[in-house]
Amino acid sequence: MSIFAPFFEDKSIEDIYTMLEKIKQILEEVQSLTASTPEEAEALRIKYLSKKGEISALMDEFRTVPAEMKKEFGMRINELKNLATERINELKAAAAAQETVADDIDLTRTPYPIPLGTRHPLTIVKNEIVDIFSRLGFTLAEGPEVEDDWHVYSSMNFADDHPARDMQDTFFVEAHPDIILRSHTSSVQARVMEKQQPPIRVICPGRVYRNEAVSARAHCFFHQVEGLYIDKNVSFKDLKQVLLLFAQEMFGPDTQIRLRPSFFPFTEPSAEMDVSCTICGGKGCSMCKGSGWLEILGCGMVDPAVLEANGIDSSVYTGYAFGMGIERIANLKYQVKDLRMFSENDVRFLEEFTAAN
Ligand code: DAH
C-alpha cells in the first residue's frame, strides 16, 4: 500500500458536502416515516438500518472522511442512526399494538347494555283479549283498514242516511268517495261472512279511524276487537255466558257483568255491557263515578238483515256479535288518563309495561 494511499482515499471537499447533504436528507425522511403494519416498519428498518441499508452505507463512507472531520461526522451519523432506530422501533410498536387491538375485538360481545324494548300496552291487552277468546274456540280474522262503504256500512245494515256515514265521522280517501278508512272492525264480520259459511267463530282485532279532534279522551285512530259467532241455535244466553267468562278472565274471577238495552244497526236486540268497577269492586268510586259499573263493550244478536246481506240464510242460522275498544280496556287495567299517551311513543311511558310474552 502506498504511503500516500490514505491521502488519496480521503474525500474531496465536494464529497464531504454531498455526504452532509445525504445525512440531512435521510434525517428529514426518517422524521416523517409512517408504517401501518409491523411488516411495513420492518421494511423501513431494512431500507435504512440493515447492513446494506442507507445509513450503513454512510457508515462505510465514514471511513474515508479526513481525520480532522471524523469526530464531527461520527457524531452526525450516530445521531442519525439513533434517531432512525428510535423512530422505526416506535412505528413497529405502534403497528403491532394496533394489530393486537384488531385481533382482540370480540364480535360476539355486547358493546354496552342495549335497552330492550317492551311490548306496547295496546299489544299486551290485544294479545290478552285474543288469547282469552281463542281458548273459547274463536279463531283470528283480520281485514283491511282502507275499506269500502259496503263492508263498513251497507252490509252492516246502516241506513243510507245514518249519521256515522257523515264526513264528521268517516275519513274518505279523496279520489274515491266509496273508499274510506274503516270506522269500526265490524267490517271484518262482512269480510268473513262473504268467504265462509257457518259455523263461524272469529275474533278480529284491528285499528280503526274516526274524524275526531284529538284530545285526552278521543283520538282520530284507535283499536277495537270484534267478535262474531254464527251457527244453528245460537242464542243471547250464549252471548252472555261468553262475555261473563271473558270479563272474569280479563278483570278477575269476582267480576260481574250487566247488560243494558242499546241500539246498533247490525244487531237486534242490542246491548251495552258493563263490568263491576275494577277499582272499587262495585262500591262506587271516582273511576266509576259512584255507579259501581264501567261500560266496556257493545253486543247483540246479529240482525237477520246482516246475515242475508252477507249470503247467510237467516232462517237456518243465528249469531251474536260484540265489539270493544282496546284503549278502553287498557285504561281500565292500567288507569291511563290520557289517550294520546298510547301513540306518542314516550319511552318513559312505554317502559312501564311488561308482558309475559
Ligand atoms: N261497531 C261498534 C262500534 O264501533 C261496536 C260494536 C257494537 C260491535 C255491537 C258489535 C256489536 O259487533 O254487536 O261502536
Side-chain angles (χ1 to χ4, degrees):
M1 192 195 279
S2 146
I3 53 160
F4 298 112
F7 174 78
F8 288 118
E9 276 174 22
D10 274 359
K11 293 272 183 207
S12 70
I13 198 76
E14 286 83 37
D15 289 342
I16 299 290
Y17 274 121
T18 317
M19 269 183 82
L20 280 173
E21 272 304 303
K22 184 88 183 155
I23 293 176
K24 203 174 142 217
Q25 181 209 324
I26 298 180
L27 194 69
E28 274 166 14
E29 270 177 43
V30 162
Q31 276 161 344
S32 56
L33 289 180
T34 57
S36 46
T37 63
E39 290 73 30
E40 277 178 37
E42 175 60 13
L44 294 175
R45 190 194 64 78
I46 292 169
K47 178 170 184 222
Y48 292 104
L49 297 166
S50 68
K51 274 205 179 107
K52 291 188 178 159
E54 292 182 24
I55 295 175
S56 311
L58 283 175
M59 301 279 238
D60 286 345
E61 282 187 63
F62 169 74
R63 283 188 290 110
T64 59
V65 168
E68 69 275 17
M69 298 182 88
K70 270 202 155 69
K71 193 173 166 216
E72 176 74 20
F73 255 90
M75 266 169 53
R76 291 206 184 183
I77 295 178
N78 261 336
E79 209 180 317
L80 172 64
K81 193 184 167 193
N82 291 341
L83 200 114
T85 312
E86 202 179 303
R87 176 86 192 139
I88 290 169
N89 284 346
E90 259 174 34
L91 289 175
K92 228 180 215 178
Q98 218 169 32
E99 219 164 60
T100 23
V101 167
D103 280 352
D104 283 353
I105 292 175
D106 177 358
L107 295 175
T108 63
R109 183 173 170 265
T110 310
Y112 39 79
I114 296 175
L116 280 182
T118 55
R119 284 205 199 288
H120 192 280
L122 294 178
T123 307
I124 296 175
V125 173
K126 180 204 79 180
N127 288 348
E128 215 172 323
I129 298 169
V130 169
D131 186 55
I132 294 169
F133 283 103
S134 58
R135 278 185 268 134
L136 294 168
F138 288 74
T139 53
L140 198 70
E142 281 172 317
E145 292 176 18
V146 181
E147 259 294 9
D148 52 31
D149 178 278
W150 168 257
H151 291 94
V152 179
Y153 295 128
S154 299
S155 72
M156 287 290 113
N157 203 32
F158 280 77
D160 284 345
D161 57 355
H162 193 284
R165 292 173 181 258
D166 202 283
M167 279 167 52
Q168 306 289 310
D169 278 340
T170 307
F171 282 117
F172 290 83
V173 176
E174 237 172 290
H176 287 273
D178 189 43
I179 308 294
I180 57 180
L181 298 183
R182 68 180 177 194
S183 55
H184 60 177
T185 45
S186 301
S187 57
V188 187
Q189 288 191 29
R191 290 266 163 202
V192 173
M193 283 189 258
E194 72 189 3
K195 277 208 305 267
Q196 190 188 331
Q197 281 295 306
I200 290 171
R201 192 157 31 173
V202 288
I203 189 85
C204 326
R207 180 173 291 170
V208 301
Y209 301 83
R210 286 185 198 175
N211 194 356
E212 304 244 12
V214 175
S215 72
R217 303 170 59 81
H219 212 294
C220 58
F221 66 81
F222 54 99
H223 302 80
Q224 290 186 330
V225 173
E226 190 81 11
L228 176 70
Y229 180 28
I230 305 169
D231 205 344
K232 288 175 182 154
N233 302 317
V234 176
S235 76
F236 205 93
K237 278 194 309 219
D238 302 313
L239 171 63
K240 198 172 170 189
Q241 184 59 52
V242 153
L243 292 180
L244 176 64
L245 279 169
F246 164 70
Q248 293 184 338
E249 283 290 305
M250 194 75 201
F251 299 110
D254 298 329
T255 309
Q256 297 185 10
I257 61 167
R258 81 174 178 187
L259 291 160
R260 286 177 289 102
S262 183
F263 174 80
F264 300 102
F266 35 91
T267 43
E268 183 58 38
S270 304
E272 272 169 324
M273 185 175 101
D274 300 339
V275 289
S276 49
C277 179
T278 50
I279 301 292
C280 66
K283 290 188 202 70
C285 67
S286 63
M287 179 80 161
C288 57
K289 300 198 181 79
S291 73
W293 295 99
L294 300 162
E295 185 195 321
I296 67 157
L297 56 79
C299 61
M301 299 307 291
V302 180
D303 194 306
V306 171
L307 294 176
E308 294 296 333
N310 290 287
I312 290 173
D313 188 344
S314 64
S315 66
V316 180
Y317 295 108
T318 51
Y320 64 70
F322 55 87
M324 67 188 100
I326 302 180
E327 280 82 350
R328 172 80 179 145
I329 308 279
N331 280 349
L332 298 185
K333 269 189 93 83
Y334 300 121
Q335 282 97 55
V336 178
K337 293 279 181 292
D338 190 327
L339 259 187
R340 289 168 292 196
M341 306 276 272
F342 288 121
S343 50
E344 274 170 359
N345 280 338
D346 185 330
V347 173
R348 291 166 303 178
F349 170 73
L350 298 175
E351 274 175 343
E352 299 277 313
F353 303 90
T354 46
N357 52 42

